[in-house]
Amino acid sequence: MATSLQNLSIYDEQSVPSASKMKFGIVVSEWNRPITDALYQGAKNTLLKHGATEENIVTIGVPGSFELTAGARLLAKKTDVDAIICLGCVIQGDTPHFDYVCQGVTQGITQLNVKFKIPFIFGVLTTDNQEQAEERAGGKHGNKGDEAAITAIKMVDLSCRLKK
């Protein structure tokens, strides 16, 4: 569904399992920092709201959205997290760079989901302009970080249920 038709921060709280026994990694791009900081706060606050503890949230920063894949891979190899949330923001410019970065990070996160036995969550905004990014990082369309955190919780829960 298009974000313009739905607020990313509105969801059925009853449908979200407890995250009290889950461990999360969050990889945050430093590029477009005001936006990615807002995404991070949304994700972290949502995880805490649903029972995750500060001790069970590991956060690392990477220079840009393209590096989210490498950061997430390192986090998966060096920690025992149950899911990794990748947060970034790529804003369209005047060159094809936008397309290459978006394609690379999308394919990279997809490959991580195939390679590892934990979910990697795509929390990357790909917008036409700064205003759209702000609207999706706590503005009128909610916060993509909230949505990414809910997705992480639900995917860890799904994984646990399927192991039984």
Side-chain angles (χ1 to χ4, degrees):
M1 178 181 291
T3 303
S4 63
L5 302 176
Q6 180 176 339
N7 186 307
L8 298 167
S9 299
I10 297 175
Y11 58 92
D12 176 11
E13 291 186 24
Q14 300 301 318
S15 72
V16 181
S18 171
S20 63
K21 294 185 170 120
M22 300 176 185
K23 295 181 182 179
F24 300 94
I26 304 177
V27 184
V28 186
S29 168
E30 296 169 355
W31 195 258
N32 291 315
R33 180 162 261 157
I35 300 298
T36 61
D37 282 351
L39 296 175
Y40 171 71
Q41 287 304 317
K44 183 178 177 185
N45 291 341
T46 299
L47 292 173
L48 294 171
K49 176 180 179 179
H50 290 282
T53 62
E54 293 271 356
E55 302 81 43
N56 286 339
I57 302 172
V58 179
T59 304
I60 62 169
V62 295
S65 290
F66 194 82
E67 292 77 29
L68 287 169
T69 301
R73 179 181 51 82
L74 290 169
L75 196 57
K77 285 185 171 187
K78 303 290 184 184
T79 67
D80 63 344
V81 296
D82 298 310
I84 296 176
I85 301 168
C86 301
L87 300 173
C89 176
V90 186
I91 300 173
Q92 177 70 56
D94 296 329
T95 69
H97 182 74
F98 173 86
D99 299 318
Y100 302 132
V101 172
C102 292
Q103 184 178 31
V105 72
T106 301
Q107 290 178 351
I109 293 172
T110 299
Q111 287 300 313
L112 291 173
N113 276 297
V114 172
K115 183 176 181 177
F116 289 87
K117 294 181 179 182
I118 63 170
F120 292 79
I121 309 305
F122 188 84
V124 180
L125 294 176
T126 56
T127 63
D128 290 329
N129 54 53
Q130 181 76 22
E131 180 182 5
Q132 287 179 346
E134 291 168 358
E135 290 172 348
R136 290 155 178 81
K140 71 179 184 180
H141 294 303
N143 191 318
K144 180 77 171 174
D146 295 343
E147 180 190 53
I150 295 302
T151 301
I153 294 168
K154 288 184 174 186
M155 290 304 293
V156 171
D157 180 67
L158 175 63
S159 179
C160 290
R161 286 186 286 122
L162 291 175
K163 285 180 185 176
K164 292 180 181 178

